[in-house]
Amino acid sequence: MILEQAAKGSTMDARLSDICVGTSAAPTYLPAHYFENQGAKFNLVDGGVAANNPTLIGIAEVTRQVLKKNPDFLPMKPLDLGRFLVISVGTGSAKNEEKYDAAKAAKWGVLGWLYNHNSTPLIDSFQQASADLVDFHNAVVFEALHSQKNYLRIQDDSLTGDLTTADISTKKNLEKLVKVGEELLRKPVSQVNCATGNFEPIHNGGTNMHALQKFAKLLSEERKLRRSNI
């Protein structure tokens, strides 16, 4: 609906700068963003509050366009996930660091849950849980429809120290994050284990780099096919 409204030049057709500032206004880190567009008023915070892993929203929007027989999409069944290629890239987490446990949390009050030793336990818990549940749902659905090779989740849940924070943008820390990303490409394709909450390598899944190369080849071939039909 939002995409359609934006295309029609309605109040949803806002400036890209307002959209970017609004959707990155993470509570406790950046201020909420207010702007007006064609008489409409918008009060926005980080989209991660509602969908920390927006993969399902993307799949749902494509599915809805297929149902509406949008000419930009080839004829297909709405749940034909064999025609979907989904790449979900996480921003990293400190899950394996195990910063919290029941003994510590039992002593926290409201302030302890909101802020504890340079971390935000309540926000971390909600965001990581929601992101992992979306990943688990997608993995199960794609596998049930025999299309598991069409879904790729790339995430590093082993971050520690300053790498886990969202507000340290020093050159040193950013260079470390680049290194983490480069190393992540060489790691095996993994999937979250809902019993432990940790990412575990998929048997014979190859590396993230190889998986991305396969996706790139499929997308390139699809683009050539569509161009040949113009």
Side-chain angles (χ1 to χ4, degrees), residues 12-99:
M12 290 292 186
D13 188 17
R15 293 184 303 178
L16 182 59
S17 58
D18 283 320
I19 295 172
C20 291
V21 173
T23 196
S24 60
T28 75
Y29 291 106
L30 295 169
H33 184 56
Y34 171 83
F35 70 93
E36 297 181 9
N37 187 46
Q38 299 184 39
K41 299 179 180 180
F42 294 86
N43 296 274
L44 305 179
V45 294
D46 189 348
V49 173
N52 196 40
N53 181 343
T55 311
L56 272 182
I57 294 177
I59 294 175
E61 179 60 26
V62 171
T63 300
R64 203 171 64 83
Q65 295 302 321
V66 171
L67 283 170
K68 293 174 69 68
K69 301 187 186 309
N70 186 321
D72 291 333
F73 295 83
L74 296 176
M76 58 182 284
K77 295 180 180 179
L79 290 179
D80 184 7
L81 295 185
R83 302 291 297 277
F84 282 60
L85 289 179
V86 178
I87 301 175
S88 174
V89 182
T91 56
S93 73
K95 192 185 305 177
N96 286 351
E97 195 174 11
E98 298 183 352
K99 294 187 292 186

Side-chain angles (χ1 to χ4, degrees), residues 133-221:
L133 284 175
V134 169
D135 176 37
F136 180 69
H137 169 85
N138 288 335
V140 171
V141 171
F142 272 80
E143 183 175 0
L145 296 175
H146 308 291
S147 303
Q148 56 266 42
K149 292 184 179 180
N150 291 16
Y151 173 67
L152 174 64
R153 172 67 171 171
I154 299 178
Q155 172 71 306
D156 190 332
D157 58 1
S158 61
L159 301 184
T160 59
D162 289 348
L163 291 175
T164 67
T165 64
D167 58 350
I168 298 181
S169 56
T170 62
K171 182 179 180 180
K172 180 180 179 181
N173 205 44
L174 292 177
E175 288 176 344
K176 287 183 178 180
L177 286 172
V178 170
K179 187 176 180 180
V180 168
E182 292 172 344
E183 292 175 349
L184 187 56
L185 286 173
R186 294 188 287 271
K187 289 184 177 180
V189 174
S190 302
Q191 179 179 322
V192 69
N193 181 332
C194 274
T196 64
N198 297 324
F199 274 81
E200 298 178 354
I202 297 175
H203 182 62
N204 292 329
T207 65
N208 289 319
M209 181 182 294
H210 291 148
L212 286 171
Q213 289 172 341
K214 290 179 182 178
F215 271 59
K217 183 178 180 181
L218 289 171
L219 289 171
S220 177
E221 292 174 349

